[in-house]
Amino acid sequence: MQSRTPVAFFKQVLALPGITTIAALIGAVILWEAAARLLSIPTYLLPPPSAILGSFSSIGFERWVGHIAATLRVALIGYAMSIVIAIPLAVVMMRSPFLSRTLYPLLVVVQSTPVVAIAPIIIVVLGAGDAPRIVITCLITFFPLVVSTATGLAATPPELIELSRSLRASGFRETTQIRLPFAVPYIFSALKISITLAVIGAVVAEFCASEAGVGYFIQLSTSLFKLPQAWAGLLVLAAMSLLLFQAVVLTQKLLFPWSVPKNS
Amino acid sequence: MSRTKLAFYALAATLSAGAASAADKVIFQLDWLPGGDKAPIYVCIHEGFCSEAGLEVEIASGRGSTDAISRLAAASSDIGVSDIGALMAARANEGVKVTAVMSLFNKGPHAFYVAKGGSIASVADVKGKTIATSPFTSSNVYLPLVLKDAGIDMADVKLIKADPGALGPMLMTGNADGIIAWMTDLTRYSNQGKEAGKEIIALPWSAAGLELYSASLIASDGFLAKRPQVAARFVTAYKKSVEFAKDNPEKAAAAVTAIVPELSSEDVQGSLKDTLPLIFNEVTEKDGLGVFETARLAETWHRVSEAQGIDPVKLDPETMVNRTFAATE
């Protein structure tokens, strides 16, 4: 049996998925900690990673769960709402050139309007509770879904459409059995973008009005000059986005394995 | 409101508080995030003054006085705290249906914060200096007036707008010669200064001649008209909570942290200590707690209208306050 050299072993380790990313991250954290200590950077400018980690425990576990659950609830309901609106809307626009011509410019106008600017108005109109935050999240997330779904539906090969029409398939069957399956990779590309936007949308909404949520927690911590605590909140948000993104990737792999690109 | 009506509300308040099987729900609107300066409403809930008055209070945090007034005007909330200057401007310009029912800060909380031993030792020294302020603070409205009183033109000050969280670091690092913040944050800035090896001092604008009412208890007109007994009971319980916070600052801080565990007791106590002199001072001794004294109210409107360039005849300040609720005991 041939024994492995240290160099070969090292190369094998480096080939493990995600290992270089993790190593780079750990290296950056060590550098950050060392710089903060050696250069005596005050915590109100840039807290060291050790202070950020320490601040996780200063907030009770139950409180963390409460804030995470509040943000997740808004992000997921807003995301689900945007899926429910965007995909049928894209289908309708594909079926009707008139509606497409009418609605598309309006959708661009909605997307071009900075949600941060209209969020306070939405909150005043819709009042307290989750409703305004869900609407804000939905506004941020639905545009990529509409555009990608419409693109996927329109990109169906014409020969498939001609075949279905020669077999006298109804418009409904053409949409559900040919166009929509063909659009699945496009839809999932948009779903991956939108899930990270959903977290951003929930946080934007929490910045404008909320009593709980990770965005609210970050704002509260900043107002109290507790920078390590605010950074801890940022890390939680990043982890949340990453997990939600991976959940969408996994869903695609489980439900539509044929739609996953071979080299992904 | 006549005295007979007032007596009726007081009687109704007493009876219904005792007999109420289901508490009346009230949404209380803060003008900012929770903190020691907002302690009375947390005291009211935690110490049971609100429930004793037959009230079930829900707190909604706000993002500035204008935000709080908008939500009260839209009836998203019933009663809350906001700067009376912002309410005066909103009443004069937009005719919002919101009324002030009790004075809280009878002195303006606005101040310059500077490092001790630096180039600014008094308000007059800000001429030619770089001053940082947050974009949405009501202090910006009064800045031209306090400068004018000190004989300084606005053009002589380099004003930088920055996020509230960035003001302290800008002062500590010397990116700004001074910052504009509220007196309620004195302890926080002092602690930040200690970390930077600097002693931070505040130059309150009230001491420089800016005499006005500031944070006040305000309510939507719909709430006052439709549920006057609830409003009367709330104001009484709130006033009791303010006095409790003065006499028991540690318990008041505990009330805040019990409801908002993200806040540390030390922070809350510091902020409350900084806030109490804005509520209890020589003006309170003369006029009483929660009172809108006619001349001071008129002077506040005079200052607000001058600062915002509003025609003073657009508002009679007496029409935007209702003193009967705070007078109910």
Side-chain angles (χ1 to χ4, degrees):
Chain A
M1 200 169 92
Q2 202 175 14
S3 66
R4 282 189 304 179
T5 64
V7 175
F9 176 73
F10 186 66
K11 278 183 179 171
Q12 267 190 330
V13 170
L14 280 183
L16 289 172
I19 197 76
T20 48
T21 309
I22 293 168
L25 195 66
I26 292 171
V29 169
I30 292 170
L31 264 178
W32 177 359
E33 181 75 31
R37 285 170 188 262
L38 293 172
L39 303 174
S40 301
I41 300 172
T43 52
Y44 59 79
L45 287 181
L46 183 66
S50 54
I52 296 168
L53 285 175
S55 68
F56 272 103
S57 56
S58 64
I59 307 298
F61 176 74
E62 205 177 304
R63 208 66 187 173
W64 272 118
V65 171
H67 287 307
I68 292 168
T71 303
L72 262 183
R73 186 177 64 243
V74 169
L76 291 178
I77 297 175
Y79 183 62
M81 206 164 107
S82 74
I83 294 171
V84 168
I85 294 170
I87 294 178
L89 188 64
V91 171
V92 168
M93 283 166 65
M94 181 272 298
R95 302 288 315 168
S96 163
F98 169 74
L99 280 177
S100 180
R101 278 199 310 275
T102 311
L103 293 177
Y104 209 87
L106 294 176
L107 292 177
V108 173
V109 169
V110 170
Q111 176 66 11
S112 311
T113 309
V115 175
V116 177
I118 57 165
I121 301 166
I122 294 171
I123 281 157
V124 168
V125 172
L126 295 180
D130 280 348
R133 291 189 279 278
I134 290 167
V135 169
I136 290 166
T137 306
C138 184
L139 277 176
I140 287 185
T141 52
F142 97 115
F143 188 76
L145 270 170
V146 177
V147 173
S148 274
T149 309
T151 307
L153 292 169
T156 312
E159 55 269 26
L160 288 181
I161 302 300
E162 279 167 24
L163 179 66
S164 97
R165 285 178 187 169
S166 69
L167 294 170
R168 298 191 177 184
S170 66
F172 179 77
R173 286 188 73 181
E174 180 191 305
T175 305
T176 54
Q177 294 183 5
I178 299 176
R179 288 189 185 269
L180 269 176
F182 196 84
V184 164
Y186 292 86
I187 294 172
F188 267 93
S189 291
L191 285 174
K192 286 174 205 165
I193 296 168
S194 287
I195 193 68
T196 54
L197 289 176
V199 176
I200 294 172
V203 170
V204 166
E206 284 169 8
F207 266 54
C208 294
S210 63
E211 319 311 323
V214 184
Y216 165 82
F217 172 77
I218 291 171
Q219 197 179 35
L220 182 63
S221 302
T222 312
S223 78
L224 297 166
F225 307 158
K226 291 185 170 178
L227 263 284
Q229 209 169 277
W231 275 85
L234 273 177
L235 290 183
V236 168
L237 277 182
M240 197 187 286
S241 289
L242 199 63
L243 287 174
L244 289 172
F245 182 87
Q246 289 302 330
V248 177
V249 170
L250 192 66
T251 306
Q252 186 181 9
K253 279 182 181 168
L254 289 175
L255 299 181
F256 306 96
W258 50 267
S259 71
V260 180
K262 294 282 181 289
N263 57 351
S264 72
Chain B
M1 190 182 287
S2 68
R3 286 190 181 279
T4 319
K5 265 188 176 176
L6 187 65
F8 167 75
Y9 291 145
L11 180 65
T14 314
L15 291 175
S16 55
S21 54
D24 291 299
K25 290 189 178 173
V26 173
I27 300 177
F28 186 85
Q29 183 66 55
L30 296 178
D31 57 352
W32 189 237
L33 299 164
D37 53 329
K38 317 285 186 239
I41 189 60
Y42 294 95
V43 166
C44 194
I45 295 169
H46 193 253
E47 291 295 326
F49 300 146
C50 283
S51 55
E52 282 166 18
L55 304 168
E56 186 185 330
V57 178
E58 182 189 326
I59 301 173
S61 63
R63 303 298 187 270
S65 286
T66 316
D67 176 48
I69 293 166
S70 301
R71 292 206 220 173
L72 286 163
S76 301
S77 303
D78 301 312
I79 192 163
V81 173
S82 165
D83 178 59
I84 198 169
L87 177 59
M88 285 171 161
R91 289 273 298 214
N93 291 329
E94 309 293 337
V96 295
K97 305 287 184 199
V98 177
T99 297
V101 292
M102 179 183 156
S103 151
L104 199 58
F105 293 1
N106 51 32
K107 285 189 172 187
H110 323 285
F112 287 119
Y113 279 81
V114 297
K116 194 177 180 184
S119 57
I120 302 173
S122 69
V123 173
D125 295 334
V126 300
K127 188 174 182 178
K129 302 294 190 305
T130 302
I131 303 294
T133 182
S134 58
F136 305 113
T137 175
S138 59
S139 306
N140 296 341
V141 171
Y142 301 108
L143 179 65
L145 299 184
V146 81
L147 291 180
K148 190 178 161 193
D149 287 350
I152 303 167
D153 192 85
M154 268 296 280
D156 293 333
V157 176
K158 188 182 174 191
L159 203 62
I160 302 171
K161 301 275 174 73
D163 182 83
L167 297 180
M170 288 179 82
L171 177 62
M172 307 312 161
T173 53
N175 288 320
D177 299 310
I179 60 170
I180 294 171
W182 281 23
M183 289 302 293
T184 51
D185 286 330
L186 181 59
T187 303
R188 277 183 216 156
Y189 282 115
S190 299
N191 289 341
Q192 210 171 46
K194 277 179 200 160
E195 198 184 338
K198 292 186 178 182
E199 188 180 341
I200 301 301
I201 53 168
L203 307 171
W205 296 358
S206 58
L210 195 68
E211 294 289 336
L212 37 77
Y213 288 115
S214 178
S216 304
L217 200 60
I218 65 172
S220 82
D221 287 358
F223 173 63
L224 296 178
K226 288 176 194 159
R227 300 198 290 160
Q229 302 95 329
V230 177
R233 280 179 356 233
F234 179 85
V235 176
T236 304
Y238 188 82
K239 206 169 170 184
K240 194 173 170 184
S241 307
V242 174
E243 281 163 341
F244 181 92
K246 184 191 80 166
D247 298 333
N248 308 277
E250 284 183 17
K251 282 186 181 174
V256 180
T257 53
I259 298 171
V260 191
E262 288 85 351
L263 304 176
S264 71
S265 179
E266 188 191 2
D267 272 338
V268 174
Q269 281 191 51
S271 181
L272 179 59
K273 181 175 75 73
D274 299 335
T275 301
L276 288 172
L278 298 169
I279 306 172
F280 297 98
N281 48 51
E282 67 283 1
V283 180
T284 324
E285 278 171 24
K286 182 168 77 70
D287 299 332
L289 174 65
V291 171
F292 286 115
E293 193 268 324
T294 306
R296 198 175 181 86
L297 187 69
E299 174 62 10
T300 304
W301 169 233
H302 167 69
R303 288 293 202 161
V304 170
S305 58
E306 189 187 0
Q308 301 214 3
I310 304 170
D311 186 350
V313 299
K314 281 183 88 174
L315 178 76
D316 174 2
E318 289 297 319
T319 61
M320 46 123 349
V321 296
N322 186 333
R323 296 180 174 89
T324 52
F325 291 96
T328 310
E329 292 290 348

